[in-house]
């Protein structure tokens, strides 16, 4: 943990130094909503660049990221039956379900999610989001702009998590999300 | 500006020192959405504590605020025909319209707002949100956790803004928001 924090502190200094020159020109004050939870001027990106991460049918749109903002707001959309990577990290997730329904795992607990529910993922807590089988699950996720990289579970972590049959069932994709 | 930044840096140090002891116990990982854009465990608060600020029919709910988060996510709801304070500050606003429609003033520009539109309020830019006359305007607003206080316009600032007839009309509440 000490290592992570010192990395973050270092990165912060760098950002502060360069902030002025990066921000001046590119801010659009208004970006209209388009159909189907897309936005003008917002690019739909791949969910992850990490090849080792397991996930299914999920896209990422960065709605707000600016050197003057200490947080970022992203929109993730998990297609019906899809799921996000099972991972953990020091930084927190602050999530608002914008569209659809589904389930999430947070630590050892499974929560049923409805539109506009709020989810807090505490530091170093294993988590995964799964859409229902019938419709996409779209959610806003606020994170610190400067944050550590996600960790993937080891075989031991997975064994510990799936020792609980409900968690094993969740990670298998059934019957939750039906 | 130098003064504001040094204050923020000072406040940040303080928060970092106390973060551990403040966070450990109180996080709810899941808070359900209630009817009418309210949430379990989220208090509906007055919009402002500043008596000098002019505003009408607006409430505030803090959805995410945590010592580990460098940003905060709040939900503001302006009742039909209501408006937020005309103000500016060094910190930015990152806004997503969650409910209804309306208009906003950002600097000298008036923007028409629809559900899910994105609004960026750059540093030190005068801004105000107004709901349409027919329905509430609800929006999420991400800000830095550590931020400067809003400034209210002086008579000179108001004279400069209302020199533009469209802005004068907007601040009068007509015909925008009809």
């Amino acid at each position: 943990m000490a290592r992570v924090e010192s990395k973050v502190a270092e990165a912060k200094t760098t950002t502060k130094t360069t902030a002025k020159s990066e921000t001046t020109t590119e801010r659009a004050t208004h970006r209209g909503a388009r159909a189907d939870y897309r936005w003008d001027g917002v690019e739909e990106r791949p969910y992850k660049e990490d090849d080792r991460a397991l996930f299914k049918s999920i896209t990422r749109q960065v709605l707000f990221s600016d050197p003057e903002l200490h947080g970022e707001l992203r929109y993730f959309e998990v297609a019906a039956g899809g799921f996000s990577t099972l991972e953990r990290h020091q930084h927190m997730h602050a999530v608002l379900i914008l569209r659809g329904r589904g389930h999430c795992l947070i630590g050892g607990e499974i929560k049923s999610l409805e539109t506009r529910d709020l989810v807090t993922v505490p530091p170093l807590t294993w988590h995964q989001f799964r859409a229902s089988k019938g419709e996409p699950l779209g959610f806003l996720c606020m994170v610190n702009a400067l944050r550590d990289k996600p960790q993937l579970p080891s075989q031991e972590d997975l064994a510990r998590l799936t020792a609980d049959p409900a968690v094993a069932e969740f990670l298998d994709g059934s019957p939750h999300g039906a």
Side-chain angles (χ1 to χ4, degrees), chain A residues 65-110:
Chain A
S65 176
D66 188 291
E68 294 268 341
L69 288 172
H70 300 162
E72 281 185 14
L73 194 66
R74 299 94 43 88
Y75 174 73
F76 294 93
E77 198 169 280
V78 190
F83 53 86
S84 67
T85 302
L86 175 65
E87 62 181 34
R88 68 175 188 179
H89 32 66
Q90 176 61 34
H91 66 273
M92 284 177 61
H93 281 324
V95 167
L96 183 146
I97 308 299
L98 200 59
R99 175 184 201 177
R101 53 178 54 80
H103 289 82
C104 69
L105 175 72
I106 309 174
E109 291 190 50
I110 295 155

Side-chain angles (χ1 to χ4, degrees), chain A residues 4-22:
Chain A
V4 170
E5 280 170 13
S6 103
K7 266 196 188 173
V8 168
E10 200 182 316
K12 192 170 289 172
T13 312
T14 315
T15 305
K16 283 223 166 281
T17 317
T18 56
K20 294 279 170 217
S21 56
E22 284 172 22

